[in-house]
Amino acid sequence: MEFENLNKVQKMYAFSDQEMSNYLEIDRATLYRWKEAGEIPESYDSKVNALIAFKEGVRDSGFSLEGKVDYVKVTFKTQDYIDVIAKVLCLQNKPFLEEEKGGSGYDTKYTFQNINLFISKKREDMGCMIELKGQACRQYEWYFENEQKSSWRDFFIRCFEYERAISEGEGKFMNIPRLDIALDEKYNENGNFELGKLVDLWDSGLVESRLTMKQIEDNGQYGKAKTIYFGSRQSAYHFCFYQKDIEQAKKLGLDIDLIHSSLKFKNRYEVRMCDDVALDFVRKSLNERIDMARLAVWVINSKIKVFERMNGDKVLNREWYSLLGEVDRIGFSTAPVEVGFFDKQYKWLSVDVAPSVIAIKEWEKITGEYKLDGIFSSGEISEKNRKKLDQARVVFEKDLQKNRY
């Protein structure tokens, strides 16, 4: 493995040379020798891969197509956000921080790390909304596993139970404005489905769907990255198929071969659903005890039919349905990640700030003008970061007390 990959991993974690050496169980001199040689021994590849996989919360379930909840919004016809935090999220012991900004029409947000809850102080009729984006889903799964002994099924059951508890007369007291199920196709050394083929089949009239199709290509160092959309953002169903390996390589700054070997990503097939369609999806999954990943595949197959020509006849496309048709190879999973309060800031310091600081320090040695210390000492903590520090302190002290006893 090239040393540059290890260097990127080190920056991603904000590890010092000593911390990196400790993890790899080598001395710092060995690390420096690897750096000078530009590569690391093959015997250490698995440790570096495991480190990347751990950071991204990746688990190898054994399925070739693995589904996860990747985005969820749930609204309730109540402004009692404290009750929702306690009875639906089951995070009553977490210090949610109030921010005077909202989203989706709400004017106030309560946040705990990446988990958001919104209300509108001006419009009581809007009630409150839980919002869990991708990273928040992974974080919430950590609380499922480590504190609640719970699952997504339990979460959605709590949503419906809470709706019954607050219902007064006729009408809907709970809604799911957005639910995304992400289906990840694992990298296979023997080959994966090429998304470009789906576009070619569409152009040849071999894809049948009432949904419109749009393709976006992005030229980069890994070639043409394809994203295919079926439907629009205003549709009850909206599918987005894209090359997850290229997306992660760009995001993490890692070689795409390393993404394949450590994260096992190739393509992602996202099923995005809104309102009644999302509600019906969850009800069907709960009532019939159907795996959400398999149900999401059923949704894709119900809206898109893919064919090929064989001996002049139009038949179902074998390659497409070997991916989205073999039920035993499709599974729902979680990928819990514990998120630190200042993880983003540490990463930003390591990747964007530290190299500039080191360069300026060298320049100050040359000029004899030392301004850097003055800049750091004159900095002030913003009100937002002060609140975040107070929030982090509460959690830290609770964990400290728990570990003592």
Short mmCIF file of all heavy atoms in Angstrom, two decimals, residues 84-96 112 115 140 143 147-148:
data_model
loop_
_atom_site.label_atom_id
_atom_site.label_comp_id
_atom_site.label_asym_id
_atom_site.label_seq_id
_atom_site.Cartn_x
_atom_site.Cartn_y
_atom_site.Cartn_z
N VAL A 84 -41.54 14.52 23.09
CA VAL A 84 -41.12 13.77 21.89
C VAL A 84 -39.70 13.23 22.07
O VAL A 84 -39.41 12.08 21.74
CB VAL A 84 -41.22 14.66 20.63
CG1 VAL A 84 -40.61 13.94 19.42
CG2 VAL A 84 -42.67 15.01 20.34
N ILE A 85 -38.82 14.06 22.61
CA ILE A 85 -37.45 13.62 22.87
C ILE A 85 -37.44 12.42 23.81
O ILE A 85 -36.70 11.45 23.61
CB ILE A 85 -36.60 14.78 23.46
CG1 ILE A 85 -36.33 15.83 22.38
CG2 ILE A 85 -35.28 14.26 24.03
CD1 ILE A 85 -35.72 17.12 22.92
N ALA A 86 -38.30 12.48 24.83
CA ALA A 86 -38.32 11.42 25.85
C ALA A 86 -39.01 10.15 25.37
O ALA A 86 -38.49 9.04 25.55
CB ALA A 86 -39.01 11.93 27.11
N LYS A 87 -40.18 10.29 24.73
CA LYS A 87 -41.01 9.11 24.43
C LYS A 87 -40.81 8.53 23.03
O LYS A 87 -41.14 7.36 22.81
CB LYS A 87 -42.49 9.47 24.64
CG LYS A 87 -42.80 9.78 26.10
CD LYS A 87 -44.26 10.17 26.28
CE LYS A 87 -44.57 10.47 27.76
NZ LYS A 87 -45.96 10.94 27.95
N VAL A 88 -40.30 9.34 22.12
CA VAL A 88 -40.09 8.83 20.75
C VAL A 88 -38.60 8.56 20.51
O VAL A 88 -38.21 7.45 20.16
CB VAL A 88 -40.64 9.80 19.69
CG1 VAL A 88 -40.38 9.25 18.28
CG2 VAL A 88 -42.14 10.03 19.90
N LEU A 89 -37.77 9.58 20.75
CA LEU A 89 -36.33 9.40 20.55
C LEU A 89 -35.68 8.64 21.70
O LEU A 89 -34.62 8.02 21.53
CB LEU A 89 -35.65 10.76 20.40
CG LEU A 89 -35.91 11.52 19.10
CD1 LEU A 89 -35.35 12.93 19.19
CD2 LEU A 89 -35.33 10.80 17.90
N CYS A 90 -36.31 8.69 22.88
CA CYS A 90 -35.76 8.06 24.10
C CYS A 90 -34.36 8.60 24.41
O CYS A 90 -33.44 7.87 24.77
CB CYS A 90 -35.72 6.54 23.97
SG CYS A 90 -37.35 5.80 23.89
N LEU A 91 -34.22 9.92 24.26
CA LEU A 91 -32.96 10.60 24.54
C LEU A 91 -33.19 11.68 25.59
O LEU A 91 -32.60 12.77 25.54
CB LEU A 91 -32.39 11.23 23.26
CG LEU A 91 -31.95 10.26 22.15
CD1 LEU A 91 -31.56 11.02 20.89
CD2 LEU A 91 -30.79 9.38 22.62
N GLN A 92 -34.05 11.39 26.56
CA GLN A 92 -34.44 12.38 27.56
C GLN A 92 -33.28 12.83 28.44
O GLN A 92 -33.34 13.89 29.06
CB GLN A 92 -35.58 11.85 28.44
CG GLN A 92 -35.24 10.63 29.27
CD GLN A 92 -35.49 9.32 28.52
OE1 GLN A 92 -35.56 9.30 27.30
NE2 GLN A 92 -35.64 8.24 29.27
N ASN A 93 -32.24 12.04 28.52
CA ASN A 93 -31.10 12.40 29.37
C ASN A 93 -30.00 13.13 28.60
O ASN A 93 -28.91 13.34 29.14
CB ASN A 93 -30.51 11.14 30.03
CG ASN A 93 -30.01 10.14 29.00
OD1 ASN A 93 -30.45 10.15 27.85
ND2 ASN A 93 -29.10 9.27 29.40
N LYS A 94 -30.28 13.53 27.35
CA LYS A 94 -29.28 14.23 26.55
C LYS A 94 -29.56 15.73 26.54
O LYS A 94 -30.71 16.16 26.45
CB LYS A 94 -29.27 13.70 25.11
CG LYS A 94 -29.10 12.20 24.99
CD LYS A 94 -27.82 11.70 25.63
CE LYS A 94 -27.70 10.19 25.55
NZ LYS A 94 -26.58 9.69 26.37
N PRO A 95 -28.51 16.55 26.61
CA PRO A 95 -28.69 18.00 26.65
C PRO A 95 -28.87 18.61 25.26
O PRO A 95 -27.91 19.04 24.62
CB PRO A 95 -27.39 18.48 27.30
CG PRO A 95 -26.37 17.48 26.88
CD PRO A 95 -27.09 16.16 26.78
N PHE A 96 -30.12 18.66 24.79
CA PHE A 96 -30.39 19.28 23.49
C PHE A 96 -30.17 20.79 23.60
O PHE A 96 -30.56 21.42 24.57
CB PHE A 96 -31.82 18.98 23.04
CG PHE A 96 -31.96 17.64 22.37
CD1 PHE A 96 -31.95 16.47 23.13
CD2 PHE A 96 -32.10 17.54 20.99
CE1 PHE A 96 -32.08 15.23 22.52
CE2 PHE A 96 -32.23 16.30 20.38
CZ PHE A 96 -32.22 15.14 21.14
N PHE A 112 -28.88 17.85 19.32
CA PHE A 112 -27.92 17.10 20.13
C PHE A 112 -26.97 16.42 19.15
O PHE A 112 -27.36 15.50 18.44
CB PHE A 112 -28.61 16.07 21.02
CG PHE A 112 -27.66 15.15 21.73
CD1 PHE A 112 -26.77 15.64 22.68
CD2 PHE A 112 -27.61 13.80 21.42
CE1 PHE A 112 -25.88 14.80 23.32
CE2 PHE A 112 -26.73 12.94 22.06
CZ PHE A 112 -25.85 13.45 23.01
N ILE A 115 -28.41 15.13 15.77
CA ILE A 115 -29.84 14.81 15.86
C ILE A 115 -30.62 16.11 16.07
O ILE A 115 -30.35 16.86 17.00
CB ILE A 115 -30.09 13.82 17.01
CG1 ILE A 115 -29.35 12.51 16.73
CG2 ILE A 115 -31.58 13.58 17.21
CD1 ILE A 115 -29.30 11.56 17.91
N TYR A 140 -27.62 7.82 15.83
CA TYR A 140 -28.78 7.33 16.57
C TYR A 140 -28.73 5.81 16.72
O TYR A 140 -29.13 5.25 17.75
CB TYR A 140 -30.07 7.77 15.86
CG TYR A 140 -31.33 7.59 16.68
CD1 TYR A 140 -31.35 7.84 18.05
CD2 TYR A 140 -32.52 7.20 16.06
CE1 TYR A 140 -32.52 7.69 18.79
CE2 TYR A 140 -33.68 7.05 16.79
CZ TYR A 140 -33.68 7.29 18.15
OH TYR A 140 -34.83 7.14 18.88
N TYR A 143 -26.93 4.80 19.75
CA TYR A 143 -27.75 4.81 20.97
C TYR A 143 -28.72 3.63 20.99
O TYR A 143 -29.01 3.08 22.05
CB TYR A 143 -28.51 6.14 21.09
CG TYR A 143 -27.58 7.29 21.38
CD1 TYR A 143 -27.28 8.24 20.41
CD2 TYR A 143 -26.94 7.39 22.61
CE1 TYR A 143 -26.38 9.26 20.66
CE2 TYR A 143 -26.04 8.41 22.88
CZ TYR A 143 -25.77 9.34 21.90
OH TYR A 143 -24.87 10.35 22.16
N GLU A 147 -27.36 1.99 24.32
CA GLU A 147 -28.12 2.49 25.45
C GLU A 147 -29.57 2.01 25.48
O GLU A 147 -30.11 1.76 26.54
CB GLU A 147 -28.09 4.03 25.46
CG GLU A 147 -26.70 4.59 25.73
CD GLU A 147 -26.70 6.10 25.94
OE1 GLU A 147 -27.80 6.70 25.94
OE2 GLU A 147 -25.61 6.68 26.12
N GLN A 148 -30.20 1.91 24.31
CA GLN A 148 -31.63 1.61 24.28
C GLN A 148 -31.95 0.14 24.04
O GLN A 148 -33.08 -0.29 24.28
CB GLN A 148 -32.31 2.46 23.19
CG GLN A 148 -32.18 3.96 23.39
CD GLN A 148 -32.79 4.76 22.26
OE1 GLN A 148 -33.47 4.23 21.38
NE2 GLN A 148 -32.53 6.06 22.25
#
